[in-house]
């Protein structure tokens, strides 16, 4: 008999087609009534869950008695209570690697867009304001040749650093838990403490996973260390930054700008950020290209199907659960 898999977010038609021959797939749909009710009804018989963007821990899963695996269609896994899943022997998988380059592209889009005021000038032009040559009040700042500070030089961080170093001739600084000699060699990257990096970089790019250690990593004190001409780019998780402190720093023009893809509370329905032209606000789209989202979905399907077949999935977040299961 096929095992049951329950979706906890919308799945693309291609992913549904990939899974359907192998499992009994339940995809809650508004067409069939209340989504939460459909999810709650199917959960006790689900062997696998697949999706993204939903917190899952004891409160949501206590009666998921058959659950063997959660396959997250994301690289970040801060939405899941990993300790709880591990205690229960439930495998958790994610989708690393396939989104690295797209997410690095988006970080650079934010960096360039904020420095060159792309969204602001686009709105200004479309509002019919272009009557004569643009003057200094609408100038941006250079990106090439400047200093790029990467907080978290992992896969995505180093992909951003490569763009900066080789595409824009930038000097690269990085802060993180450990030195990366190979990347220092490849990129000429220089290691700094976080405080030193904040004081030196023209662009500070946050690329750390959210954890107890990185929650509110950038607060009032850290923002005060940044140069008034510097720009903060956050593509990691909103909670890495104290958003109220960031808004205050932008309102008081203590930093030049911020390029943001993530927020403390998502979706961001209203925010003082919306009134700040020097803040570029994107709706958490780091990996949102057709190609990358498809690759993530298929990687998640491979992980899910492997786990349900009793094989060790490629992207296992909690290997301790594997030993128990
Ligand atoms: C991830 O995969 O964690 C990214 O934030 C995209 O959702």
């Amino acid at each position: 008999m096929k095992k049951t898999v329950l979706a906890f977010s919308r799945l693309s038609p291609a992913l549904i087609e990939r899974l359907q021959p192998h499992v009994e797939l339940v995809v809650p749909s508004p067409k069939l009534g209340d989504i939460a009710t459909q999810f709650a009804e199917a959960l006790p018989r689900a062997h696998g869950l697949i999706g993204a963007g939903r917190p899952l821990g004891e409160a949501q899963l206590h009666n998921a008695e058959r659950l063997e695996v959660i396959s997250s269609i994301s690289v970040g896994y801060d939405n899941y209570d990993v300790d709880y899943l591990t205690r229960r022997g439930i495998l958790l998988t994610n989708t690393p690697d396939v989104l690295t380059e797209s997410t690095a592209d988006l970080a650079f889009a934010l960096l360039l867009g904020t420095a060159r005021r792309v969204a602001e000038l686009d709105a200004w032009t479309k509002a019919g304001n272009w009557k004569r040559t643009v003057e200094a009040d609408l100038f941006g700042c250079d990106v090439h040749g400047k200093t790029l500070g990467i907080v978290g030089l992992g896969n995505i961080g180093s992909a951003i650093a490569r763009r900066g170093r080789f595409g824009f001739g930038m000097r690269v600084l990085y802060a993180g838990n450990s030195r990366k000699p190979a990347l220092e060699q490849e990129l000429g990257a220089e290691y700094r403490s976080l405080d030193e990096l904040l004081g030196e970089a023209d662009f500070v790019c946050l690329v750390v996973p959210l954890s107890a250690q990185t929650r509110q990593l950038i607060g009032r004190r850290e923002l005060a260390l940044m140069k008034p001409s510097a720009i903060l780019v956050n593509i990691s998780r909103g909670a890495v930054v104290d958003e109220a402190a960031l808004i205050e720093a932008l309102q008081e023009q203590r930093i030049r700008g911020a390029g943001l893809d993530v927020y403390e509370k998502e979706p961001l329905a209203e925010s003082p950020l919306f009134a700040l032209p020097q803040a570029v606000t994107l709706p958490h789209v780091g990996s949102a290209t057709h190609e990358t989202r498809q690759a993530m979905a298929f990687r998640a399907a491979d992980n899910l199907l492997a786990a349900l077949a009793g094989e060790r999935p490629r992207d296992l977040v909690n290997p301790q659960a594997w030993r128990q299961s």
Side-chain angles (χ1 to χ4, degrees):
M1 216 173 71
K2 284 181 181 174
K3 290 189 171 172
T4 300
V5 168
L6 172 60
F8 59 94
S9 64
R10 287 171 73 167
L11 305 186
S12 67
L15 177 55
I16 292 175
E17 204 176 299
R18 167 89 176 88
L19 292 174
Q20 248 161 0
H22 307 283
V23 297
E24 196 61 52
L25 185 62
V26 182
V27 185
S29 156
K31 289 185 197 140
L32 304 172
D34 180 52
I35 298 243
T37 310
Q38 293 168 57
F39 182 83
E41 275 171 10
L43 188 60
R45 62 175 201 279
H47 299 93
L49 295 180
I50 187 163
R54 176 174 178 154
L56 291 174
E58 184 166 8
Q60 297 78 20
L61 299 174
H62 59 91
N63 66 342
E65 281 159 15
R66 298 186 184 170
L67 193 58
E68 296 169 23
V69 56
I70 299 178
S71 176
S72 184
I73 313 173
S74 67
V75 66
Y77 47 86
D78 45 286
N79 265 333
Y80 310 98
D81 183 340
V82 181
D83 289 341
Y84 170 73
L85 298 178
T86 305
R87 277 200 306 279
R88 283 202 40 202
I90 298 168
L91 306 180
L92 174 66
T93 64
N94 68 342
T95 59
D97 310 329
V98 287
L99 47 57
T100 300
E101 300 300 331
S102 306
T103 310
D105 285 349
L106 197 275
F108 241 87
L110 278 171
L111 195 152
L112 287 163
T114 311
R116 300 303 303 266
R117 303 171 67 171
V118 172
E120 184 190 350
L121 291 176
D122 171 63
W124 182 88
T125 307
K126 287 173 179 165
N129 289 312
W130 190 15
K131 308 276 198 275
R132 63 186 79 84
T133 304
V134 162
E135 305 214 10
D137 60 325
L138 292 178
F139 289 178
C141 66
D142 276 340
V143 172
H144 66 271
K146 293 283 182 74
T147 299
L148 173 61
I150 307 276
V151 182
L153 197 65
N155 287 346
I156 298 173
S158 35
I160 297 167
R162 262 178 218 109
R163 283 159 175 72
R165 177 79 187 90
F166 302 119
F168 292 82
M170 299 176 92
R171 176 175 166 230
V172 177
L173 310 179
Y174 75 102
N177 285 335
S178 58
R179 295 283 293 258
K180 312 268 173 148
L183 290 169
E184 289 186 14
Q185 180 88 11
E186 178 197 339
L187 302 166
E190 300 166 41
Y191 185 74
R192 294 284 187 276
S193 70
L194 177 61
D195 285 5
E196 287 167 345
L197 180 147
L198 291 170
E200 272 184 72
D202 298 305
F203 298 91
V204 174
C205 201
L206 305 176
V207 208
V208 285
L210 178 62
S211 66
Q213 195 200 354
T214 61
R215 191 173 288 278
Q216 305 257 308
L217 185 68
I218 304 297
R220 196 161 275 115
R221 188 190 79 81
E222 289 71 25
L223 289 162
L225 295 174
M226 288 175 65
K227 301 197 260 191
S229 56
I231 285 173
L232 182 76
V233 171
N234 189 10
I235 56 147
S236 59
R237 287 293 182 262
V240 170
V241 176
D242 175 345
E243 205 164 281
L246 173 62
I247 290 167
E248 213 177 271
L250 289 166
Q251 283 168 337
E252 293 170 9
Q253 298 184 359
R254 284 191 270 110
I255 60 172
R256 185 193 293 269
L260 305 172
D261 189 39
V262 288
Y263 309 89
E264 281 177 349
K265 188 172 180 310
E266 297 178 10
L268 188 68
E270 60 179 275
S271 165
L273 289 166
F274 295 168
L276 296 169
Q278 73 275 40
V280 175
T281 51
L282 294 184
H284 198 150
V285 287
S287 62
T289 66
H290 292 293
E291 299 90 334
T292 294
R293 283 290 168 88
Q294 168 121 326
M296 290 167 72
F298 282 13
R299 182 91 168 228
D302 290 348
N303 284 323
L304 176 83
L305 296 175
L308 292 178
E311 294 157 17
R312 186 185 165 115
R314 177 172 175 185
D315 307 306
L316 190 53
V317 169
N318 56 348
Q320 303 88 331
W322 174 250
R323 284 199 294 271
Q324 291 170 36
S325 58

